Amino acid sequence: MDSALTYASDHASRFVEELKAWLRIPSISTDPAHAPQVRQAASWLADNLRDIGIGSVEVIPTDGHPVVFAEHHVSDDAPTVLVYGHYDVQPPDPLELWDADPFEPVERDGKLIARGAADDKGQAFMHVKAAEAVLACGDSPVNLKFLVEGEEENGSVHLPGFLREHKDRLAADVVLVSDTALFAPGVPSIAYGLRGLAYVEVTLQGPKKDLHSGVYGGGVANPINALARMIADLHDDDHRVTVDGFYDDVQDLSDDERQQYAALPFDEQAWKDEAGVTETLTEKGYSALEGTSGRPTLDCNGIWGGYTGEGAKTVLPARASAKISCRLVPNQTPDDITDKLRRHFEAHVPDTMTLTFTDLHGGHGVVVDTTAPAMQAAAEALEAVFGQKPHFTREGGSIPVVADFKKILGLDTVLMGFGLDSDSIHSPNEEFGLDRFHQGIEASIRFMDAYAKQER
Ligand code: BES
Ligand code: MN
Ligand code: MN
């Protein structure tokens, strides 16, 4: 292991140059116009995996974007680690808010700035370079499989089918993922929970066309007014979601967990400063940390309708639309919450309007077993890298496939992330600290070593 660590530090700057090349490929999965670049990012990664000496590397087509699958078998006696990551990225817009081209990575103050730097190319690539280091210094202590997909940012819709179809080839002992965050700079954590998602779009149609607001205003119901009221009514004064049955299946935080939350070194002022807010707003009875990871939410993500251009146009619009998403906790299911949202909107649509309700996508939340053997190996690895034991935390974001790893492959997942909430993932000027990139490579090497040495 020591030679692999030395190799990684000797080749650190080349690793960064390679990552930059990957980041230059705008693999935006949600935009059909970028499908060729998505494919290009997949084959770039496949080439890199071949270059480091992994024998079996394939770009496997799906009904959506392709999956990169690679396999390096060492021994039937060694445990098998399935590394998961995603090579697709979010769209970069609004472009004018970037200081530089989102797909021309720049290094500034020890950080790499580019779309995908932290989410997730930078983090997925740490494991590829860790694999390179161990392969270059003898062999890997574990059997390695890589599953790197191209539609995570699009809800991973085709991945469950892929897992079912390739169940045998994906057989492993554990899944290792770096696509979450450290608890704070220099403070390592292992995520044991992620939230799920139910994402819908609603449209209210009123008049058959946009009307003159002077001629018709006062006599005809306005869809924007009506939709705004419906959205406002989705929370009560305790900031609880008013959708019937929304909390029915929620797995409550245990007293133990709430004590663990309270014991975390959370700097609420710094957190508010980072978000640019002066106050937090939480479901009554819960802290901000609990509210952003252990409790379900409902948020309007976008709203449009009527006239939004320059100046004033006196119009009574024909329709209004909104995108609305719920973050879910175990045991809520996206299908059930989507049904409940549908019923809620149907029950509240004004008589004079019609409703269109579209289910966009969803995913299950998870809580993984913190006593799984691989968790111990990850904790050891992080402690060696950061000089302190990691915290076990739940995170508020979603990685839909993690629930499927358990359900379809029967595998636990170790979420060993190196991002920071301040990395601006999905936002302009996404960044990834190069210190964390190198710490992640080191942690991955140490994880393999610690996991291979475990009693089995
Ligand atoms: N890597 C994120 C999820 C994440 C971010 C987890 C920070 C924990 C901390 C992932 O790429 C992501 O953005 N997921 C989407 C899910 C989706 C589009 C279905 C999300 O959470 O919005
Ligand atoms: Mn991600
Ligand atoms: Mn993301």
Side-chain angles (χ1 to χ4, degrees):
M1 179 182 77
D2 289 338
S3 57
L5 293 173
T6 306
Y7 179 97
S9 68
D10 287 349
H11 294 83
S13 54
R14 173 176 53 82
F15 291 173
V16 174
E17 291 312 309
E18 289 181 13
L19 173 58
K20 285 184 188 166
W22 199 22
L23 289 167
R24 283 188 192 104
I25 308 170
S27 45
I28 306 165
S29 57
T30 51
D31 177 6
H34 280 81
Q37 287 91 336
V38 174
R39 276 197 302 279
Q40 198 191 335
S43 58
W44 187 94
L45 175 63
D47 288 343
N48 198 279
L49 285 160
R50 287 184 196 107
D51 288 347
I52 66 168
I54 296 206
S56 158
V57 183
E58 275 181 73
V59 177
I60 305 176
T62 70
D63 287 339
H65 298 303
V67 167
V68 179
F69 182 69
E71 206 171 340
H72 177 75
H73 188 81
V74 179
S75 150
D76 289 344
D77 297 327
T80 301
V81 177
L82 174 63
V83 174
Y84 163 82
H86 62 94
Y87 66 82
D88 64 322
V89 300
Q90 285 276 325
D93 41 297
L95 271 176
E96 64 278 12
L97 295 184
W98 285 76
D99 298 334
D101 183 342
F103 297 105
E104 188 44 63
V106 284
E107 272 178 61
R108 195 195 303 145
D109 304 331
K111 292 167 183 161
L112 198 55
I113 302 163
R115 173 58 87 231
D119 185 13
D120 177 47
K121 284 173 176 163
Q123 294 205 62
F125 201 53
M126 299 177 318
H127 299 290
V128 179
K129 295 300 100 177
E132 173 180 335
V134 293
L135 292 180
C137 301
D139 205 350
S140 165
V142 295
N143 300 314
L144 279 172
K145 293 182 182 181
F146 282 89
L147 167 66
V148 187
E149 68 150 320
E151 353 187 73
E152 196 275 345
E153 300 294 4
N154 215 359
S156 299
V157 272
H158 299 96
L159 207 54
F162 183 91
L163 299 189
R164 276 186 210 99
E165 192 180 333
H166 299 279
K167 203 171 167 199
D168 294 343
R169 294 182 75 186
L170 294 167
D173 294 285
V174 73
V175 183
L176 178 61
V177 181
S178 292
D179 194 23
T180 52
L182 297 171
F183 185 73
V187 184
S189 56
I190 297 173
Y192 71 92
L194 290 170
R195 291 195 288 193
L197 191 68
Y199 204 127
V200 305
E201 183 170 319
V202 293
T203 295
L204 283 188
Q205 170 84 40
K208 69 177 181 196
K209 58 183 178 186
D210 286 1
L211 303 171
H212 189 292
S213 67
V215 177
Y216 289 94
V220 171
N222 179 324
I224 297 182
N225 296 9
L227 184 60
R229 160 163 294 182
M230 287 170 88
I231 291 171
D233 285 344
L234 285 166
H235 289 93
D236 66 15
D237 291 344
D238 292 336
H239 204 61
R240 280 176 63 91
V241 176
T242 56
V243 173
D244 230 11
F246 185 79
Y247 294 96
D248 281 358
D249 299 319
V250 168
Q251 183 182 312
D252 284 324
L253 293 171
S254 67
D255 290 344
D256 258 14
E257 263 188 308
R258 299 200 69 184
Q259 270 167 27
Q260 279 179 44
Y261 266 108
L264 289 168
F266 181 55
D267 182 344
E268 187 164 295
Q269 190 55 49
W271 186 84
K272 288 192 293 191
D273 290 346
E274 174 60 36
V277 298
T278 53
E279 292 298 335
T280 60
L281 174 63
T282 65
E283 179 187 347
K284 191 177 180 187
Y286 292 95
S287 69
L289 216 44
E290 291 168 337
T292 53
S293 57
R295 296 295 298 169
T297 64
L298 182 151
D299 278 292
C300 183
N301 306 101
I303 182 162
W304 66 100
Y307 183 69
T308 57
E310 278 296 311
K313 181 186 181 198
T314 48
V315 64
L316 197 161
R319 66 187 75 81
S321 301
K323 292 187 190 280
I324 295 171
S325 66
C326 296
R327 294 287 168 172
L328 312 178
V329 297
N331 302 310
Q332 291 177 300
T333 68
D335 286 350
D336 178 64
I337 292 298
T338 300
D339 279 348
K340 285 171 173 160
L341 283 170
R342 187 193 307 274
R343 281 201 289 276
H344 180 97
F345 275 93
E346 281 168 358
H348 292 83
V349 52
D351 295 342
T352 56
M353 293 179 202
T354 53
L355 170 80
T356 315
F357 182 99
T358 314
D359 175 3
L360 293 180
H361 62 64
H364 287 79
V366 281
V367 166
V368 298
D369 181 4
T370 53
T371 65
M375 285 284 185
Q376 200 45 52
E380 264 175 54
L382 288 173
E383 184 173 358
V385 174
F386 289 90
Q388 58 174 289
K389 286 196 185 340
H391 295 283
F392 284 90
T393 58
R394 284 170 71 158
E395 293 203 27
S398 309
I399 306 176
V401 74
V402 174
D404 298 310
F405 286 140
K406 187 75 191 180
K407 198 162 60 198
I408 301 171
L409 303 180
L411 296 180
D412 287 312
T413 297
V414 174
L415 295 158
M416 186 172 78
F418 294 84
L420 284 174
D421 289 352
S422 54
D423 280 342
S424 302
I425 63 170
H426 297 206
S427 302
N429 302 315
E430 176 176 347
E431 63 180 41
F432 190 36
L434 289 171
D435 52 344
R436 288 176 282 135
F437 176 65
H438 299 301
Q439 284 163 333
I441 296 171
E442 182 183 340
S444 179
I445 295 170
R446 291 184 183 276
F447 171 83
M448 290 186 238
D449 187 65
Y451 191 46
K453 284 185 179 144
Q454 265 174 0
E455 294 285 334
R456 205 173 330 274

